[in-house]
Amino acid sequence: MSDPTNEPIRILVIEDEESIRIPLVDALEDEGFCVLSAADGPAGLEIGLREDPDLILLDLMLPGIDGFEVLRQLRKDRVTTPVVILSARGEEWDRVQGLELGADDYVVKPFSMREVLLRVRAQLARAGGSTPGLGEAPRTLRFGDVVVDLAGYTLTRAGATATLSRRELELLAFFVEHVGEVFRRDQLLDRVWGRDSASGPRTVDTHVLKLRKRIEADPERPKHLITVRNVGYKFIP
Ligand code: CA
């Protein structure tokens, strides 16, 4: 494992589908990770063994050698890098087999970038690394008089605690990580819901309205989740 204080954390993405690999690589790079990628099993295995990345995101259905075999070979070579499996919804695979082979976690496609980043951070924290930008994987978010417990999915403001849905939590966490940046609805859908999501812009609006009720003193005159006219939304702590 590279020294987290001096070198960027390196993540290897092994995924043959460009429509998944490219946005995943982009999102990870945006978060400050150094990203290596491979589009088939043999290349992924070779890079994994040669570069000793800090974490591997591994698709299962791959040309050349499938993900299970890549994982088996890595572990046979005593590579202890955390491996997060990317599995397709409805794809026949045995979670037990994956875990027995030494996978550390899995995400089911279609996934949101936020979801993958949460898993990546969790694995890196477990492996003893730190994550760029946020330091240690945070368990709470704080802004104004709001405290969000990421593990418990709860939000406390003005003495009242509410439970957030996973999407509400992911959307809020995304805004908190991108203070002051303006996002269009389609960008939020891509980054939080995932590119393959069937949800539309109205879904974003609905979630923003729900979050405002939780975090704003006056949801009609928001001070945190601000509408940018004709563009989208931005977050001010
Ligand atoms: Ca595949």
Side-chain angles (χ1 to χ4, degrees):
M1 176 140 194
S2 60
D3 180 353
T5 56
N6 293 323
E7 288 173 37
I9 291 170
R10 297 186 312 152
I11 297 180
L12 170 60
V13 176
I14 309 176
E15 166 65 74
D16 59 319
E17 273 176 69
E18 268 195 10
S19 63
I20 297 174
R21 188 179 67 248
I22 290 171
L24 193 52
V25 168
D26 287 349
L28 289 165
E29 285 179 343
D30 280 355
E31 296 296 316
F33 296 110
C34 171
V35 188
L36 307 159
S37 67
D40 62 50
L45 179 60
E46 196 259 324
I47 296 171
L49 292 171
R50 188 187 63 212
E51 298 289 335
D52 188 22
D54 297 298
L55 183 137
I56 299 173
L57 290 168
L58 176 64
D59 181 31
L60 287 180
M61 303 300 278
L62 289 167
I65 312 174
D66 72 17
F68 283 123
E69 190 55 30
V70 171
L71 183 56
R72 194 176 289 123
Q73 301 262 358
L74 286 169
R75 294 303 187 229
K76 212 179 90 190
D77 247 284
R78 306 225 176 85
V79 175
T80 56
T81 306
V83 171
V84 177
I85 284 177
L86 309 172
S87 78
R89 180 178 290 170
E91 191 171 86
E92 283 297 318
W93 76 286
D94 188 340
R95 263 163 217 171
V96 176
Q97 189 192 354
L99 296 173
E100 274 173 4
L101 281 173
D104 297 274
D105 202 354
Y106 60 89
V107 271
V108 178
K109 299 176 196 170
F111 45 72
S112 69
M113 291 307 157
R114 176 75 209 148
E115 191 181 347
V116 175
L117 292 171
L118 282 173
R119 302 303 174 90
V120 164
R121 290 216 174 87
Q123 286 305 321
L124 289 171
R126 259 178 61 181
S130 65
T131 54
L134 288 167
E136 292 300 306
R139 297 187 67 82
T140 53
L141 302 174
R142 288 167 198 273
F143 56 91
D145 57 351
V146 175
V147 179
V148 182
D149 175 355
L150 290 174
Y153 288 68
T154 59
L155 183 152
T156 307
R157 195 192 73 81
T161 299
T163 303
L164 297 180
S165 73
R166 200 188 71 179
R167 275 304 181 223
E168 288 166 2
L169 186 82
E170 287 178 359
L171 182 62
L172 182 57
F174 180 81
F175 276 120
V176 171
E177 283 173 23
H178 297 86
V179 167
E181 278 183 64
V182 181
F183 291 97
R184 298 189 313 267
R185 289 168 178 79
D186 62 304
Q187 290 174 315
L188 292 168
L189 279 172
D190 263 13
R191 301 282 293 273
V192 179
W193 274 258
R195 193 156 292 207
D196 297 331
S197 164
S199 301
R202 283 287 302 147
T203 304
V204 176
D205 296 335
T206 313
H207 280 73
V208 166
L209 289 179
K210 283 186 193 162
L211 283 177
R212 279 181 180 155
K213 285 188 186 143
R214 307 282 191 215
I215 67 175
E216 303 285 356
D218 180 357
E220 303 286 310
R221 289 178 195 75
K223 290 192 161 54
H224 298 299
L225 264 179
I226 316 283
T227 302
V228 181
R229 263 184 61 180
N230 302 324
V231 189
Y233 296 105
K234 70 174 174 182
F235 173 78
I236 304 293

